[in-house]
Amino acid sequence: MDPKALNIPAEDKHSFAEYFQQHIAPKWQRYEAKRIPIAAKYQQRRKISQPVSYIAMFTGLIGFAGIFYALAITNGDGFMLVGGLLLFVVAMIVAAAVNFWAGSEAFKFRDGVIKVIHPLILRYFGESFMLNPKNLPELKKYEQYGVLPKYDRGYFQDSVKGEYKGVAFLVRELNLSVANGTEDNKTKYKTIFDGIIIEFDTFKKFQGETQVRLDKGTLGNKYQAFKHDLSQVKLEDVNFERQFEVYSSDQVEARYLLTPATMARFLSLSSFYGSQLEACFKDGKLFMKIATKHNYFNSKLDVLKPLDFSHDIEQLFRELYQIFALIDELKLDDKTGL
């Protein structure tokens, strides 16, 4: 791959090309030499695993048909039911096992490459940039900001921390869900939030708590204010008031934080992300919750082809520049006010 041909900001093209040649290219070349025999072995094994998988899946369908026939036609014939169930389970196990045998080495190699190369790409932006750093806060810690919905189950995926213009940030992919009945004696879950959360340190000085939440109607807004023991703040921007409601422990401080320019920036960001944006200023930090279907920090690396990190590099640049834009748009590096 040619780093100079990457679709990244023009100001980064030359410096990143130099960084790539110095820090990434040597490892890339070694990994490419290792990839060739691993890919060849995987393709050879696929010649066995693929037909076996097809046979297993066809056998599983026969087993499933046997289960259906036993339940619907023969009123639960024991032999037919047990036989069909056993055939279905064994077929699925065989299909999974043969595919694992064929691809485990290739998948392990791919994961190993990503764990080395992605942090190197991030390091271009500075020593503070890390992918999935250790000792990150538990989900419960973020409940203090008051903008997470009530949930029964939550889990993080990838996380990136870094610093831009002196503003430290941590962005994390988060999925939240609630229990939604049961099926086969197992709890079913319904996703209520899927997106990212971002915690920024700011240079702003404020003592209270100010929440920027989506408008939920007259009754919903009153309930939100009561639930969080915060007072509703009325602001002069009609467009902002139509989309958001602000709650704060300090009316004066809320207006200091949410200047007309800042409200315009929130509206712009909300439009960019499809209106699913909420935030909280608290303890010298800005916390943002943004619903988005985009899978952040996801790799498209294909070990069956010559190693090409173009997509991964371009995506990391796009995603990080979105975070940088938030800091610039909200002027979080400005000590004099938002």
Side-chain angles (χ1 to χ4, degrees), residues 102-126:
S104 59
E105 187 175 354
F107 298 147
K108 184 178 179 181
F109 172 76
R110 180 183 182 276
D111 290 344
V113 172
I114 292 168
K115 285 179 181 178
V116 171
I117 298 298
H118 276 209
L120 280 176
I121 299 170
L122 283 171
R123 197 61 56 86
Y124 164 77
F125 296 95

Side-chain angles (χ1 to χ4, degrees), residues 27-35 109 112-113 116 307:
K27 287 185 169 57
W28 168 43
Q29 291 161 359
R30 288 197 293 271
Y31 279 129
E32 177 60 18
K34 292 180 180 178
R35 180 199 68 84
F109 172 76
V113 172
V116 171
L307 293 181

Side-chain angles (χ1 to χ4, degrees), residues 68-233:
F68 178 81
Y69 183 81
L71 293 174
I73 308 298
T74 66
N75 296 320
D77 178 83
F79 178 78
M80 182 68 75
L81 181 62
V82 172
L85 181 61
L86 186 61
L87 191 61
F88 177 79
V89 171
V90 170
M92 293 303 100
I93 291 173
V94 169
V98 74
N99 280 292
F100 178 80
W101 166 76
S104 59
E105 187 175 354
F107 298 147
K108 184 178 179 181
F109 172 76
R110 180 183 182 276
D111 290 344
V113 172
I114 292 168
K115 285 179 181 178
V116 171
I117 298 298
H118 276 209
L120 280 176
I121 299 170
L122 283 171
R123 197 61 56 86
Y124 164 77
F125 296 95
E127 291 296 318
S128 65
F129 283 76
M130 299 177 67
L131 176 66
N132 297 323
K134 296 180 180 178
N135 302 319
L136 292 178
E138 298 291 333
L139 177 56
K140 202 158 188 67
K141 183 256 188 185
Y142 299 108
E143 293 177 7
Q144 67 174 313
Y145 294 112
V147 296
L148 293 182
K150 187 176 180 181
Y151 62 93
D152 295 314
R153 184 175 70 175
Y155 63 88
F156 293 107
Q157 293 175 304
D158 289 320
S159 304
V160 164
K161 68 181 297 188
E163 184 177 304
Y164 174 71
K165 292 186 175 180
V167 177
F169 66 86
L170 173 63
V171 53
R172 309 183 71 179
E173 289 184 296
L174 174 64
N175 181 281
L176 300 175
S177 57
V178 293
N180 187 34
T182 59
E183 185 175 323
D184 298 330
N185 294 322
K186 292 183 179 180
T187 303
K188 294 194 301 182
Y189 289 91
K190 177 184 177 182
T191 297
I192 55 171
F193 174 78
D194 190 17
I196 57 173
I197 58 171
I198 316 171
E199 192 176 52
F200 299 97
D201 289 339
T202 78
F203 292 136
K204 316 299 173 187
K205 295 189 182 300
F206 53 90
Q207 302 298 319
E209 176 180 355
T210 297
Q211 295 181 8
V212 179
R213 304 185 64 102
L214 293 173
D215 189 292
K216 291 181 171 63
T218 303
L219 292 177
N221 293 335
K222 288 183 178 180
Y223 173 71
Q224 290 292 342
F226 173 77
K227 184 172 71 171
H228 296 287
D229 195 26
L230 302 172
S231 59
Q232 202 166 355
V233 181

Side-chain angles (χ1 to χ4, degrees), residues 249-268:
S249 59
D250 188 322
Q251 295 272 330
V252 174
E253 190 172 80
R255 289 177 172 83
Y256 155 71
L257 292 169
L258 294 168
T259 64
T262 303
M263 287 187 281
R265 294 181 192 115
F266 264 101
L267 284 170
S268 174

